Amino acid sequence: MPIPFWRRLFWSGLHIPLLAVALLAGNAALLQLSLSKPLVVLEASGAWIVYLLDRSLAVGPEDYLNRPGRVSWWRAHRTLQRGGLALGALLAGWATLHLRPVTLVAGAGLGLVGMLYVLPGVRLKQWGLLKPLLIAGAWSLGTTLLPVLEAGRTPGADLWLLTAYRLLWLLPNPLLADWPDRVGDLASGVRTPAVRWSYGTLRRVALGLLLGALAVGLIFMAHLKRPEAAVDLLGVLLVGMVLGVARHGITDGHLALLDLLVAWPAVTTLVQS
């Protein structure tokens, strides 16, 4: 059976740099920061490098049970993987020559934290919410703290409110992503929240996180007093709509939609401009 194009696209990770740039641009717009081109390059290439390393280094026994097609596809496309890593490394290297030292130090720290997930033999899936928190936390801080540091601004209440808002908004994605993989995870001895909880519990936790994001987002909007924050909040409602449709189980199609909604802050940027 032929592999659908959208599935091959998501397996390749080509959308990952675009999502990183959209999130970074939206956060910069909300914080009224000019977007640094080297930082855009670093964020996009760094996110893609971590994704590609995850597909090559962090393949566990559960992946052969849960995603045999994806594992086989990646093994057949080693050239794409090596080429992506080489290109990402070159772009990241160029970006580091044009960024402030404080941005590089903070970025390196976040990069090391993100790399914990892809290290061979490191089973963060075993530690409950640690894996989803690590993923959502790296994306949140990487796209909020770094542009502030690069602009030479002192982190303030607006930054921390935005970071908390982004964390709560993004966290349902990696939390729900383990649901389709629960059978292979359980057979391999990996006990993610998706294995330990029923789907109803997992979905309620995700909805609770979205309610938290909405509450923090409203506080952030009141603090900011700017209309584009209200546009950004629509992203929370859109994620909630996906969960409303996925009442009885989350599918790969639902997860693809949730991934694409990470790019919603690009709309915030367009409104701000």
Side-chain angles (χ1 to χ4, degrees):
M1 185 184 224
I3 302 171
F5 173 76
W6 71 268
R7 194 178 291 277
R8 281 180 285 157
L9 178 63
F10 273 79
W11 284 353
S12 72
L14 290 173
H15 63 298
I16 296 295
L18 301 177
L19 297 182
V21 171
L23 194 56
L24 177 65
N27 290 340
L30 289 171
L31 295 171
Q32 291 188 295
L33 299 171
S34 58
L35 207 53
S36 160
K37 289 187 177 75
L39 184 59
V40 169
V41 172
L42 182 67
E43 297 259 1
S45 56
W48 200 30
I49 287 171
V50 172
Y51 178 89
L52 291 174
L53 288 176
D54 177 41
R55 291 294 173 259
S56 60
L57 297 180
V59 178
E62 69 277 6
D63 293 301
Y64 292 95
L65 296 171
N66 294 325
R67 307 287 175 172
R70 187 181 69 189
V71 173
S72 298
W73 189 86
W74 266 117
R75 288 187 179 279
H77 292 81
R78 295 285 193 185
T79 303
L80 171 64
Q81 193 175 67
R82 295 190 188 101
L85 286 170
L87 178 61
L90 284 172
L91 291 172
W94 172 84
T96 59
L97 299 176
H98 299 84
L99 292 171
R100 289 162 54 91
V102 66
T103 307
L104 292 176
V105 171
L110 286 170
L112 288 173
V113 171
M115 290 290 287
L116 287 176
Y117 177 55
V118 303
L119 290 177
V122 178
R123 309 301 294 154
L124 294 181
K125 282 185 175 183
Q126 296 282 31
W127 295 85
L129 291 172
L130 181 59
K131 174 201 156 190
L133 279 169
L134 188 68
I135 295 172
W139 276 76
S140 302
L141 268 176
T143 56
T144 55
L145 178 62
L146 295 189
V148 168
L149 294 177
E150 183 60 20
R153 279 177 40 177
T154 302
D158 54 351
L159 166 66
W160 303 122
L161 281 171
L162 179 57
T163 302
Y165 163 58
R166 287 293 183 226
L167 176 65
L168 292 168
W169 179 58
L170 291 171
L171 194 49
N173 283 34
L175 188 65
L176 291 164
D178 286 328
W179 180 253
D181 297 339
R182 66 197 183 281
V183 174
D185 287 347
L186 180 61
S188 301
V190 179
R191 298 186 60 79
T192 61
V195 171
R196 296 172 180 171
W197 301 342
S198 68
Y199 179 70
T201 300
L202 196 68
R203 183 170 172 269
R204 283 192 293 272
V205 170
L207 289 170
L209 290 167
L210 289 180
L211 285 175
L214 189 61
V216 175
L218 288 170
I219 296 170
F220 178 66
M221 185 172 67
H223 176 77
L224 215 59
K225 297 185 176 66
R226 292 176 49 229
E228 53 265 34
V231 174
D232 199 274
L233 275 173
L234 290 176
V236 178
L237 301 180
L238 290 172
V239 173
M241 288 174 63
V242 175
L243 293 184
V245 172
R247 289 179 176 275
H248 306 294
I250 199 95
T251 66
D252 286 342
H254 295 133
L255 292 174
L257 282 176
L258 290 177
D259 273 356
L260 292 176
L261 284 174
V262 175
W264 178 257
V267 179
T268 306
T269 309
L270 295 174
V271 172
Q272 192 265 351
S273 60

